[in-house]
């Protein structure tokens, strides 16, 4: 039996939920995690466009399958539509975005302003990142900022939320109600330091973390064992990063060119031996989800399917991680068509009167 968990404000899908004791945000993701349900998040590939429909078309394919959508902030130091802009569009339609904030491009003044602006738009989740260096992108001549890093950014957001102050000490009229996240990479050396580094991010303010792609489950199990031994999993929700690989060639390229991604030889051999490598890559992702979901302390998965977003629903469905639960899904409202028709009339119908004629008529 499918269970619908609405988690929706009856006064409007764009409005925040009522506050709950022990929650720092009024968003759906925090509610799902604190209820002990296995959460699913994903990423929206940001468009190189100023058309809002490009965002909505990409978000629609996740409807009913994910609990929150990462709005990527110029990952790889490549420019796309801004994370703040994507969040503004998604919250307008009731989606639950995770606003990524990278420290590469903005100083603390601009970042604190974005935190307030995002919270005012209804963004309940913020993921604090240091960001890739500008040399990784297609505009290496850009000037990097890095006024803050991921750790100090977490502390900044926590101070704004819990103390109601800017870093300068000036008081906020209304603090942001936000659920704070961070990224962790269990697969990058020094491996023994990674659980300790997670502890530092928790101390700085992280309430949930999304990991780098997991293609080595035994290595991830070791990381999670050490995280449990240190008591971290009692303080933070860990979402394991997973994703489909399109082919063995793609896997080799990622392993050689994307820092921090560890892909064992066995994974590449499995893809090479498949008749349909893309299908096998999807099945590999499902198999990994079914393994990591059984690891104690894992609270969910973060499905990263770059240029394969259409597979997210299939991956989530076939893995069975939702156990019959259906995350929030945007449903067509009765007034949607009326608004669309009115907008079409304003934009496209011929205007019978000039502005001058309208002024004359008014007098």
């Amino acid at each position: 039996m499918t269970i619908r968990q609405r988690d929706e404000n009856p006064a409007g899908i764009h409005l925040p939920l009522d506050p709950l004791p022990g929650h720092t945000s009024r968003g759906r993701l925090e509610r799902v995690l604190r209820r002990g349900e296995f959460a699913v998040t994903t990423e929206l590939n940001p468009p190189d466009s100023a058309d809002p429909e490009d965002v909505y078309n990409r978000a629609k394919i996740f409807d009913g399958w994910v609990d929150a959508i990462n709005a990527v902030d110029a990952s790889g130091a490549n420019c796309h539509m801004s994370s703040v802009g994507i969040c503004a569009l998604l919250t307008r339609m009731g989606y639950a975005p995770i606003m990524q904030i990278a420290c590469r491009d903005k100083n603390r003044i601009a970042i604190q302003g974005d935190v307030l602006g995002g919270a005012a738009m209804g963004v309940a989740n913020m993921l604090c990142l240091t960001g890739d260096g500008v040399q990784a992108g297609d505009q290496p001549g850009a000037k990097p900022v890095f006024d803050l890093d991921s750790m100090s950014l977490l502390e900044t957001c926590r101070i704004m939320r819990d103390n109601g102050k800017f870093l300068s000490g000036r008081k906020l009229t209304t603090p942001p109600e936000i659920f704070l996240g961070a990224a962790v990479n269990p697969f990058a050396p020094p491996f023994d330091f990674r659980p300790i580094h997670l502890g530092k991010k928790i101390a700085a303010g992280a309430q949930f973390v999304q990991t780098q792609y997991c293609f080595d489950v035994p290595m991830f199990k070791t990381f999670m064992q050490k995280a449990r031994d240190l008591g971290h999993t009692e303080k933070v929700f860990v979402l394991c990063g997973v994703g489909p690989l399109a082919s063995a060639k793609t896997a080799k390229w990622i392993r050689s060119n994307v820092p921090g991604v560890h892909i064992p030889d066995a994974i590449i051999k499995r893809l090479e031996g498949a008749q349909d490598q893309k299908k096998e890559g999807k099945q590999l992702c499902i198999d990994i989800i079914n393994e990591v979901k059984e690891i104690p302390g894992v609270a969910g998965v973060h499905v990263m399917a770059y240029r394969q977003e259409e597979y997210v629903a299939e991956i989530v469905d076939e893995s069975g991680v939702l156990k019959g639960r259906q995350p929030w899904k945007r449903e067509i409202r009765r007034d949607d068509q009326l608004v669309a028709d009115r907008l079409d009339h304003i934009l496209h119908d011929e205007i019978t009167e000039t502005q001058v004629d309208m002024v004359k008529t008014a007098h």
Side-chain angles (χ1 to χ4, degrees):
M1 178 179 176
T2 299
I3 301 171
R4 287 300 300 271
Q5 180 61 55
R6 291 303 302 166
D7 281 340
E8 182 177 296
N9 190 323
I13 59 172
H14 61 290
L15 298 174
L17 300 167
D18 290 333
L20 288 179
H23 290 226
T24 61
S25 77
R26 293 201 274 171
R28 289 194 296 272
L29 178 60
E30 184 175 8
R31 292 195 175 199
V32 167
L33 288 168
R34 292 197 187 280
R35 283 198 298 260
E37 295 169 340
F38 198 84
V40 179
T41 60
T42 192
E43 291 189 352
L44 187 147
N45 181 25
D48 296 337
S49 165
D51 187 349
E53 285 303 315
D54 288 341
V55 172
Y56 293 137
N57 289 336
R58 296 177 190 209
K60 285 176 186 175
I61 60 176
F62 303 135
D63 272 9
W65 295 105
V66 304
D67 297 297
I69 302 172
N70 280 32
V72 177
D73 189 12
S75 63
N78 292 307
C79 184
H80 308 284
M81 184 185 289
S82 72
S83 174
V84 173
I86 292 171
C87 286
L89 294 170
L90 293 180
T91 54
R92 183 186 301 173
M93 293 298 182
Y95 291 102
I98 299 173
M99 189 171 93
Q100 291 190 2
I101 307 174
C103 298
R104 175 190 56 248
D105 306 314
K106 296 178 181 179
N107 66 15
R108 66 190 68 192
I109 298 172
I111 287 174
Q112 289 174 94
D114 281 352
V115 170
L116 292 183
M121 292 186 299
V123 177
N125 317 291
M126 297 193 180
L127 190 77
C128 300
L129 305 168
T130 298
D132 301 306
V134 295
Q135 69 277 4
D138 58 1
Q139 299 181 64
K143 293 188 182 300
V145 180
F146 294 114
D147 184 26
L148 303 174
D149 60 12
S150 61
M151 209 77 73
S152 54
L153 175 55
L154 280 166
E155 292 174 344
T156 298
C157 294
R158 178 175 54 79
I159 289 169
M160 294 176 70
R161 183 193 67 200
D162 296 347
N163 299 351
K165 295 179 180 180
F166 289 111
L167 286 180
S168 66
R170 184 159 51 90
K171 290 185 178 180
L172 296 170
T173 303
T174 303
E177 296 177 295
I178 47 179
F179 190 46
L180 292 177
V184 295
N185 190 353
F187 314 103
F191 305 116
D192 290 341
F193 178 68
R194 293 302 160 189
I196 298 171
H197 192 238
L198 171 60
K200 292 178 181 294
K201 291 199 171 184
I202 295 170
Q207 298 166 285
F208 74 96
V209 294
Q210 296 172 332
T211 80
Q212 180 59 277
Y213 284 107
C214 174
F215 295 109
D216 191 328
V217 177
M219 184 178 288
F220 183 63
K221 285 182 178 178
T222 300
F223 168 82
M224 288 301 300
Q225 179 63 60
K226 292 179 179 178
R228 291 195 302 273
D229 292 344
L230 292 169
H232 295 339
T233 55
E234 298 173 10
K235 303 172 185 176
V236 72
F237 298 101
V238 178
L239 279 67
C240 180
V242 297
L245 291 166
S247 65
K249 182 180 178 181
T250 299
K252 290 177 181 178
W253 187 91
I254 291 173
R255 184 167 69 174
S256 300
N257 295 279
V258 181
V261 178
H262 167 63
I263 303 178
D265 291 338
I267 296 294
I268 294 175
K269 288 181 180 178
R270 174 174 168 175
L271 293 171
E272 288 176 334
Q275 187 172 4
D276 185 336
Q277 293 192 9
K278 194 168 187 178
K279 184 178 179 181
E280 188 66 22
K282 186 188 80 170
Q283 185 58 49
L284 171 66
C285 181
I286 294 169
D287 292 346
I288 290 174
I289 291 175
N290 283 324
E291 286 190 72
V292 301
K293 72 182 182 183
E294 302 299 330
I295 300 174
V298 175
V301 288
H302 178 54
V303 186
M304 297 172 280
Y306 180 65
R307 293 185 178 177
Q308 297 187 80
E309 289 88 349
E310 69 278 6
Y311 280 158
V312 170
E314 294 178 27
I315 289 169
V316 175
D317 183 35
E318 294 175 27
S319 68
V321 288
L322 293 177
K323 297 181 179 179
R325 176 178 71 88
Q326 184 177 44
W328 182 88
K329 180 178 181 180
R330 173 165 164 73
E331 295 175 346
I332 301 300
R333 296 176 295 168
R334 286 179 297 176
D335 61 342
D336 280 355
Q337 191 58 49
L338 293 173
V339 173
D341 291 343
R342 179 59 181 158
L343 182 61
D344 184 69
H345 171 75
I346 293 171
L347 293 176
H348 300 106
D349 284 12
E350 290 185 5
I351 300 175
T352 57
E353 291 181 295
T354 66
Q355 290 183 339
V356 174
D357 290 335
M358 294 167 72
V359 170
K360 289 179 179 179
T361 301
H363 289 284

